[in-house]
Amino acid sequence: MFSVQLDENNIVVGVMSFAPQVPNQIAVQAFDDSLIGKQYINGQFTEPEPANNE
């Protein structure tokens, strides 16, 4: 089992080769480092929205 670690904005900041162990980690099917930088929303990994720095 593999997992990804999410930051406070649900952005993937790491991929691990073990099952989720803390609340900010979720299980994934494969070790896929292309997920780093993606945002996890409603069960899907997407490109994050650009920050609105007004």
Side-chain angles (χ1 to χ4, degrees), residues 13-41:
V13 294
V15 182
M16 284 82 61
S17 59
F18 51 82
Q21 298 181 357
V22 293
N24 68 334
Q25 293 175 349
I26 58 168
V28 293
Q29 294 294 319
F31 189 93
D32 183 356
D33 61 358
S34 72
L35 294 174
I36 293 175
K38 302 278 185 173
Q39 189 168 28
Y40 184 74
I41 301 174

